C-alpha cells in the first residue's frame, strides 16, 4: 500500500482508518472520498460509489495502487430500504472491483458477521460453513464475498477482506448497524447514568474495539498473499458478550449505572439470526490476526476517552 483511495471515508471505520493510514504511509498517500463533504487534514474528494466512471478517474489521477472500499448501507438501515441497499452495496462494490481490475489495484472491502444466517452453527462458527442469511445486508455481504473471490480467481485482482463483528469506537457514531447498542450504552452511561437496550438480555454477538479492527486491515493488506487461503472474508472477533455483561463491566466504573430493555423486534430478529461467537483461527493462522482489547480493557478506554 503506497497510494490508497478510500471510499465511504467519513463513516465509523473510514474516519479513523484514514488517520491511521496517513500516520503510516503519509498524509498525501491517502485519498479520502465520501458522498458528503467534510474538513480533512489531507486529500479529499466527493465520490458517489455508484458512479463508476468518476471512481476510475479519481483513482487514476491520484495514482492509486490500493482501493479500500467502505461505502455501504449497514444492516438495520438496509432492512428499511432493501432495494436501495442492494443498488448501493452491490453497485458500489462492482464499480470498486472493476476500477481495481482496470487499474491493477490491491483491494480491500469488509464483509460482516451478517453474512451468516439462522442455519449457520451459532457457536465457534467455522470459517467455512453454511451462509444463508435472511437480511438484505447479509445477502449483499455473501454476494460480495463471492464477487471478491471471483475477481481474484478470474482476473487476478489482489482482493482481501474480513468478516467484521460489531465495532465499538468513540470517534464517529456508528452508521445504523445491529450492534450499535454496544456503542450507545457507553455514551448513555456517561450522559444519563442509564440505558434502554433495544437488544434483549442474553443475546450474544461478536464485537471488536476499533483500534484492533484498523490494525487487522493493515496487517491483512501487508500480509504475504501467497499464504492467504481465505483471501476474502476472514472471520475475526475479539470478544463475544450480551447486553447485561457489557452493563456489568460499565458498573465496575459507574456503580449507579442501570440498564432496562425495550426490545426492537427488527434489530432483535437480525441479531437472533447471527452467530453467538465466531472462530477466528484461519485469520490467526494465515496472517497472524491478534486482538489487543477484551471487554474489560475496552471499557476502561471507552469511558476514559468519552469522558474527555
Ligand atoms: N461498523 C461496524 O460495526 C461494521 C461491522 C461489520 C462490517 N462493517 C462494514 O464496514 C464498512 C464500513 O462501515 P462503517 O461502519 O464505516 O459504515 P458507516 O455507515 O459508518 O459509513 C459509511 C459511509 O459511506 C458513505 N456513503 C453512503 N453512501 C455512499 C455513496 N453512494 N457513495 C459514497 N459514500 C457513501 C456515508 O456517507 C458514510 O460516511 C461497510 O461495508 C460495513 O458493512 C462495519
Amino acid at each position: 500500500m503506497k497510494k490508497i483511495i478510500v471510499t465511504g471515508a467519513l463513516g465509523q471505520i473510514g474516519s479513523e482508518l484514514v488517520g491511521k493510514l496517513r500516520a503510516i504511509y503519509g498524509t498525501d498517500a491517502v485519498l479520502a472520498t465520501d458522498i458528503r463533504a467534510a474538513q480533512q487534514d489531507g486529500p479529499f474528494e466527493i465520490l458517489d460509489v455508484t458512479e463508476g466512471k468518476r471512481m476510475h478517474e479519481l483513482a487514476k489521477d491520484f495514482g492509486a495502487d490500493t482501493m479500500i472500499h467502505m461505502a455501504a448501507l449497514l444492516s438495520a438501515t438496509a432492512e428499511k430500504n432493501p432495494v436501495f441497499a442492494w443498488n448501493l452495496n452491490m453497485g458500489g462494490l462492482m464499480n470498486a472491483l472493476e476500477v481495481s481490475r482496470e487499474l491493477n489495484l490491491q483491494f480491500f472491502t469488509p464483509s460482516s458477521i451478517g453474512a451468516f444466517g439462522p442455519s449457520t452453527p451459532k457457536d465457534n462458527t467455522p470459517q467455512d460453513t453454511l451462509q444463508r442469511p435472511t437480511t438484505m445486508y447479509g445477502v449483499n455481504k455473501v454476494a460480495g464475498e463471492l464477487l471478491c473471490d471471483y475477481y481474484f480467481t478470474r482476473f487476478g485482482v489482489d482482493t482481501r477482506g474480513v468478516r467484521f463483528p460489531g465495532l465499538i469506537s468513540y470517534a464517529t457514531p456508528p452508521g445504523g448497524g445491529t450492534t450499535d447498542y454496544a456503542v450507545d450504552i457507553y455514551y448513555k452511561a456517561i450522559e444519563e447514568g442509564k440505558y434502554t437496550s433495544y437488544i434483549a438480555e442474553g443475546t450474544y454477538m461478536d464485537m471488536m474495539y476499533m483500534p484492533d479492527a484498523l490494525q487487522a486491515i493493515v496487517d491483512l493488506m501487508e500480509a504475504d498473499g501467497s499464504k492467504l487461503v481465505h483471501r476474502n472474508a476472514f472471520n475475526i472477533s475479539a470478544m463475544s458478550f450480551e447486553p447485561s455483561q457489557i452493563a456489568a463491566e460499565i458498573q465496575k466504573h459507574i456503580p449507579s449505572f442501570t440498564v432496562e430493555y425495550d426490545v426492537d423486534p427488527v434489530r432483535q430478529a437480525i441479531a437472533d439470526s447471527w452467530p453467538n461467537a465466531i472462530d477466528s483461527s484461519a485469520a490467526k493462522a494465515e496472517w497472524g490476526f491478534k486482538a489487543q482489547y477484551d471487554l474489560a480493557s475496552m471499557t476502561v478506554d471507552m469511558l476514559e476517552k468519552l469522558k474527555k
Side-chain angles (χ1 to χ4, degrees), residues 7-15 33-36 47-51 69-75 77 84 88-89 108-114 137 141 162-168 172-177 179-180 208 210:
T7 71
L10 301 181
Q12 188 196 5
I13 304 176
S15 59
T33 71
D34 203 289
I35 197 169
R36 57 202 164 95
L47 171 64
D48 178 342
V49 293
T50 61
E51 294 175 11
H69 178 57
M70 289 292 174
L73 212 62
L74 269 58
S75 56
T77 323
F84 181 72
L88 170 56
N89 293 350
F108 176 92
T109 201
S111 184
S112 156
I113 52 170
Y137 181 71
K141 288 302 188 191
V162 296
R163 293 182 186 127
F164 274 136
L167 299 182
I168 294 158
T172 305
T179 53
D180 291 5
M208 185 179 291
M210 189 60 84

Side-chain angles (χ1 to χ4, degrees), residues 119-169:
S119 54
T120 303
K122 281 212 171 300
D123 295 305
N124 208 25
T125 305
Q127 173 67 40
D128 300 307
T129 186
L130 268 175
Q131 289 182 265
R132 306 288 294 173
T134 47
T135 62
M136 177 50 90
Y137 181 71
V139 170
N140 297 165
K141 288 302 188 191
V142 175
E145 291 181 7
L146 294 172
L147 256 185
C148 291
D149 282 348
Y150 177 79
Y151 267 72
F152 173 67
T153 50
R154 176 80 167 78
F155 303 117
V157 179
D158 184 2
T159 54
R160 305 182 183 200
V162 296
R163 293 182 186 127
F164 274 136
L167 299 182
I168 294 158
S169 66

